[in-house]
């Protein structure tokens, strides 16, 4: 029996049936970069010689499926609408003016880079020829400027960046060849097209060797000119690499760092992903495991990109300062490569073993304290500080953002209870003590749960009118107030000064207490104090001793009495030099017997000669003083510009006084 094979010419080939054939077809896709395609084909050749029953075969299939499934060229088109982005930020966040401004600046720079306008400079010493070329090119929709000679053209190139220069070859004072050479020095990316009536092979070759992209003879063929310029414009219109900055949102918890990152992704129209780094200890979680290990997996970064399906998402690296390190390596070292714009286009995951471009990813890091980051890593980040909210801002955030969400989550929608602004202010003042609004959200949730219970107890026949929550109802909903105004509530005392410090969760007030007793001139310090703070105390004591005669202090008491300095809340470590002026004031009060007002808070570093040096965290410290009820804040003279930049709302209720010398604070804080 004879079998005849059917002819298949002209028919669509049958799709591959085996796994390897399907993967090989994917590996030859034009959308795959050459280096990734080569790696996939090498792995396929190896698997073709491997027995499918062995474990390495399934491992290889999993590797190929991951490599070929990565979005090597899939990009989300950015939505660069500044007014719309401003509306998104304003809708989702109250306050944060400087942060919003920085985000809009970033979007504006991307919008300018994405501009598709094609700029052309026409250079010809014949007015008619230049005017005709300008007219033709403008009619095609290009942005065109003209210059009468080479020198004028160089001036234009210095003021503008052109995509293309169309220049005559023979001109007075500077010919086209000289212009080509000088233009390449000023603007290397600008392309040059020569147009001349003296066209020869030698001049064309010379022009092309010097970098000209095209050579036209006069009279100019307008169709050829249009086609050539259109081709160059299409090449220029190809997407250019925009190296995204690595924004680092630094500030206390609950100030909106994560939600601003989400708003940026929404404004750009990009996908958003958050990676929590708190407690991360194994470097392989980020960079992946080598395939020699059993159960090897890619790193969390490439896994997330594979799941999102695009290579330009917004990645939020949350709690970057909380990364741990041990014998398995330092995970923070991975970010030296991942976040460096000069290196991350060739990021290599240990599992993938093929470079993947991360330059289009917009990385946003969040930290509470930038001092926990290493110097090289901090150098790769652009800090955007998130500062604490004022009491008035917290009230507005509670009314406009937190309460509507809490009411819906607890079913209080038919009808909505009405919270008075004074009631939310009472919650802010008596039940929270923070720079952000996280605890405020928690306390408002407690109040809503209490209201939900009361509504259910009232039954379906209960009052249909909405409940009005005023300041009188807050203690019934939340219980007794948790916080009192410490600074304003105390009586003036000798040797007790009120200081201001900046902690991880914002500004705080501290009390420096000093007592003396019979002894031999020893100094005792307690309160879990760091070495820098202890040095500030010794400096303050030396300053007071050196000014004993001026202050009316018997110098012998320093030799026959011991001194004990204590800062309460001893379980909380305290470090830094900004308590120097507070320590000096407390010691001066102790030895002079002059009582200090508790509602006068101060901060500043001191020198051995008594100068007060500027310190950081001024806004947070002033807000902390206002929360604690301080009436006056004493600051270093060097911090005056920062205070003058603050709004009247931030300074309301607090008198700010500047000092140059440490002992000036004694006069301002004394009774």
């Amino acid at each position: 029996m004879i079998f005849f094979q059917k002819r298949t010419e002209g028919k669509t080939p049958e799709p591959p049936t085996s796994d390897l054939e399907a993967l090989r077809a994917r590996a030859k896709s034009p959308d795959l970069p050459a280096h990734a395609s080569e790696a996939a084909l090498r792995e396929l050749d190896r698997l073709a010689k491997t027995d499918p029953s062995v474990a390495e075969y399934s491992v290889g299939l999993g590797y190929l499926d991951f490599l070929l499934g990565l979005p090597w060229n899939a990009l989300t088109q950015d939505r660069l609408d500044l007014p719309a982005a401003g509306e998104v930020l304003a809708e989702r966040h109250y306050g944060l003016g400087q942060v919003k401004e920085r985000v809009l600046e970033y979007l504006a720079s991307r919008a300018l880079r994405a501009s598709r306008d094609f700029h052309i400079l026409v250079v010809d010493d014949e007015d008619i020829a230049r005017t005709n070329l300008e007219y033709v090119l403008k009619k095609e929709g290009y942005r065109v400027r003209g210059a009468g000679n080479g020198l004028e053209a160089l001036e234009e190139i210095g003021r503008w960046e052109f995509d293309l220069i169309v220049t005559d070859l023979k001109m007075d004072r500077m010919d086209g060849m000289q212009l080509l050479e000088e233009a390449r020095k000023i603007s290397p990316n600008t392309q040059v097209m020569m147009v001349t009536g003296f066209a020869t092979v030698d001049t064309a070759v010379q022009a092309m060797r010097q970098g000209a992209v095209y050579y036209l003879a006069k009279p100019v063929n307008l169709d050829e000119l249009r086609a050539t310029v259109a081709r160059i414009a299409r090449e220029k219109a190809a997407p250019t690499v925009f190296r995204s900055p690595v924004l680092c949102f630094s500030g206390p918890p609950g100030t909106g760092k994560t939600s601003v990152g989400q708003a940026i992704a929404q404004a750009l129209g990009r996908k958003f992903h958050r990676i929590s780094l708190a407690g991360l200890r194994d470097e392989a979680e980020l960079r992946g495991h080598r395939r020699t290990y059993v159960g090897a997996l890619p790193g969390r970064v490439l896994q997330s990109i594979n799941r999102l399906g695009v290579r330009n998402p917004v990645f939020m690296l949350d709690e970057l300062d909380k990364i741990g390190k041990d014998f398995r390596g330092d995970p923070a070292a991975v970010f030296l490569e991942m976040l460096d714009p000069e290196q991350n286009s060739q990021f290599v995951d240990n599992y993938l073993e093929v470079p993947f471009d991360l330059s289009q990813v917009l990385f946003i890091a969040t930290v509470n304290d930038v001092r926990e980051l290493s110097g090289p890593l901090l150098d790769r980040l652009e800090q955007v500080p998130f500062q604490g909210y004022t009491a008035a801002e917290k009230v507005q955030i509670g009314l406009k953002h937190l309460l509507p969400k809490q009411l819906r989550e607890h079913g209080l929608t038919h009808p909505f209870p009405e919270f008075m602004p004074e009631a939310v202010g009472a919650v802010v003042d008596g039940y929270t003590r923070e720079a952000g609004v996280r605890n405020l959200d928690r306390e408002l949730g407690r109040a809503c749960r209490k209201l939900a219970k009361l509504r259910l107890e009232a039954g379906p026949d209960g009052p249909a009118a909405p409940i009005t929550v005023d300041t009188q109802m807050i203690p019934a909903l939340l219980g007794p107030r948790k916080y009192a105004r410490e600074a304003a509530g105390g009586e003036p005392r000798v040797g007790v000064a009120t200081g201001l410090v900046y902690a991880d969760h914002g500004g705080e007030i501290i009390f420096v207490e000093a007592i003396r007793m019979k002894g031999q001139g020893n100094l005792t310090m307690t309160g879990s104090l760091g070495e820098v703070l202890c040095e500030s105390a010794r400096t303050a004591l030396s300053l007071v001793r050196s000014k004993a005669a001026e202050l009316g202090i018997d110098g012998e008491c320093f030799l026959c009495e011991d001194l004990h300095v204590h800062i309460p809340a001893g379980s909380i470590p305290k470090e830094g030099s900004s308590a120097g002026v507070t320590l000096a004031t407390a010691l001066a009060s102790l030895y002079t017997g002059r009582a200090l007002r508790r509602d006068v808070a101060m901060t500043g570093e001191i020198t051995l000669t008594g100068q007060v040096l500027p310190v950081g965290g001024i806004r947070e410290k002033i807000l902390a003083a206002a929360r604690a009820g301080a009436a006056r804040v004493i600051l270093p003279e060097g911090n005056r510009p920062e205070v003058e930049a603050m709004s009247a709302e931030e300074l309301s209720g607090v008198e700010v006084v500047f000092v140059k010398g440490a002992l000036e604070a004694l006069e301002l804080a004394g009774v």
Side-chain angles (χ1 to χ4, degrees), residues 593-633:
R594 188 169 181 178
L596 298 175
R597 291 169 51 184
R598 299 286 294 277
D599 63 346
V600 177
M602 61 197 74
T603 185
E605 183 180 355
I606 62 169
T607 67
L608 199 58
T609 58
Q611 289 182 306
V612 180
L613 304 180
V615 293
I618 292 299
R619 182 180 183 274
E620 287 76 12
K621 292 176 180 178
I622 292 177
L623 295 180
R627 287 196 300 267
R632 176 181 293 173
V633 175

Side-chain angles (χ1 to χ4, degrees), residues 87-307:
E87 291 176 3
V88 170
L89 292 171
E91 177 184 347
R92 299 188 57 167
H93 298 88
Y94 183 85
L96 300 177
Q98 293 182 344
V99 175
K100 293 177 182 177
E101 185 67 21
R102 176 61 188 91
V103 171
L104 292 176
E105 289 170 1
Y106 164 75
L107 297 179
S109 64
R110 291 193 70 92
L112 285 178
R113 280 291 302 272
S115 174
R116 298 303 182 189
D117 289 339
F118 192 77
H119 294 263
I120 301 176
L121 176 64
V122 178
V123 187
D124 200 318
D125 53 1
E126 295 183 12
D127 293 339
I128 297 177
R130 183 177 69 252
T131 303
N132 289 338
L133 287 179
E134 289 182 26
Y135 175 78
V136 171
L137 294 173
K138 285 180 180 178
K139 197 172 180 180
E140 296 296 314
Y142 304 118
R143 304 288 294 274
V144 185
R145 295 179 68 86
N149 54 58
L151 296 179
E152 291 182 11
L154 290 180
E155 293 180 2
E156 291 288 334
I157 296 171
R159 290 193 296 265
W160 294 68
E161 183 171 11
F162 294 94
D163 299 294
L164 176 66
I165 299 175
V166 180
T167 179
D168 190 14
L169 178 62
K170 298 295 183 181
M171 295 184 294
D172 293 336
R173 303 175 68 182
M174 178 181 287
D175 62 19
M177 292 296 184
Q178 292 174 306
L179 174 60
L180 172 61
E181 183 179 352
E182 295 298 324
R184 290 180 61 83
K185 295 178 183 178
I186 301 174
S187 182
N189 296 325
T190 300
Q191 296 180 318
V192 179
M193 179 190 296
M194 288 288 183
V195 179
T196 180
F198 303 93
T200 64
V201 175
D202 292 339
T203 56
V205 170
Q206 183 183 359
M208 301 300 282
R209 283 179 176 175
Q210 291 192 12
V213 295
Y214 209 76
Y215 195 90
L216 288 178
K218 288 185 178 180
V220 176
N221 185 323
L222 296 181
D223 291 335
E224 183 181 3
L225 173 67
R226 293 188 186 98
T228 305
V229 174
R231 176 180 57 81
I232 297 173
R234 283 195 302 270
E235 294 174 355
K236 277 279 188 177
T240 57
V241 175
F242 185 91
R243 299 190 182 277
S244 299
V246 182
L247 303 177
C248 178
F249 293 166
S250 61
T255 50
K257 298 185 291 293
T258 302
S259 59
V260 168
Q262 294 172 337
I264 292 175
Q266 180 182 346
L268 281 173
R270 292 195 186 189
K271 294 185 178 181
F272 176 84
H273 183 70
R274 172 180 170 271
I275 299 179
S276 178
L277 302 176
L280 182 70
R281 294 184 177 275
D282 192 352
E283 179 181 340
E285 287 194 43
L286 294 172
R287 198 186 285 275
H289 302 80
R290 298 193 183 279
R291 283 186 290 155
T292 53
Y293 295 95
V294 177
L297 290 171
R300 291 165 64 177
V301 175
L302 287 192
Q303 285 188 50
S304 302
I305 287 180
N306 185 45
R307 186 165 55 252

Side-chain angles (χ1 to χ4, degrees), residues 76 83-84 111 125 139 166 188 190 215 417-418 420 450 473 481 494 499 526 552 573 623:
T76 303
D125 53 1
K139 197 172 180 180
V166 180
T190 300
Y215 195 90
E418 183 180 359
M420 304 300 293
K450 179 72 74 172
M473 287 189 63
R481 62 183 297 157
V494 174
T526 55
L623 295 180

Side-chain angles (χ1 to χ4, degrees), residues 296-474:
L297 290 171
R300 291 165 64 177
V301 175
L302 287 192
Q303 285 188 50
S304 302
I305 287 180
N306 185 45
R307 186 165 55 252
L308 294 172
V310 292
R311 67 180 182 92
N312 66 336
V314 175
F315 260 18
M316 174 153 282
L317 307 174
D318 210 10
E319 308 288 356
L320 185 61
D321 56 333
K322 303 297 190 302
I323 292 181
K325 54 184 177 180
D326 55 17
F327 65 92
R328 287 168 290 190
D330 182 5
V334 179
F335 294 113
L336 298 181
E337 176 187 357
M338 188 186 302
L339 303 181
D340 192 338
E342 301 299 327
Q343 302 181 46
N344 61 9
S345 60
Q346 296 291 317
F347 176 75
V348 178
D349 185 277
N350 288 334
Y351 178 84
L352 191 65
E353 296 181 340
V354 175
F356 189 86
D357 186 4
L358 296 179
S359 63
Q360 297 298 303
V361 177
L362 174 57
F363 288 104
I364 300 175
T366 70
V367 299
N368 295 138
D369 188 359
V370 294
R371 294 172 296 182
E372 298 294 329
L373 302 179
S374 63
L377 179 56
L378 187 60
D379 186 56
R380 287 162 169 79
L381 304 175
E382 181 178 339
Q383 292 188 50
V384 180
F386 277 62
Q387 300 172 331
Y389 296 106
T390 65
E393 287 175 337
K394 289 181 181 180
V395 171
Q396 293 300 318
I397 292 171
L399 291 171
K400 296 180 179 179
H401 299 279
L402 304 182
L403 265 176
K405 180 187 68 173
Q406 290 289 353
L407 292 174
R408 290 186 175 90
E409 287 182 357
H410 292 88
L412 298 169
T413 56
H414 301 90
F416 287 105
E418 183 180 359
F419 276 75
M420 304 300 293
E422 297 80 7
V424 179
V427 177
V428 170
D429 185 55
Y431 297 86
T432 65
R433 184 56 54 86
E434 58 179 345
V437 292
R438 190 166 292 165
N439 285 328
L440 174 61
D441 190 27
R442 195 172 293 123
E443 294 297 327
L444 292 175
R446 284 181 56 207
C448 289
R449 286 191 293 273
K450 179 72 74 172
L451 291 174
K453 179 174 178 290
L454 294 175
R455 179 169 291 185
L456 283 179
E457 290 175 347
D461 298 329
I467 300 175
T468 300
V469 180
D470 55 14
T471 54
Q472 305 299 324
M473 287 189 63
I474 294 300

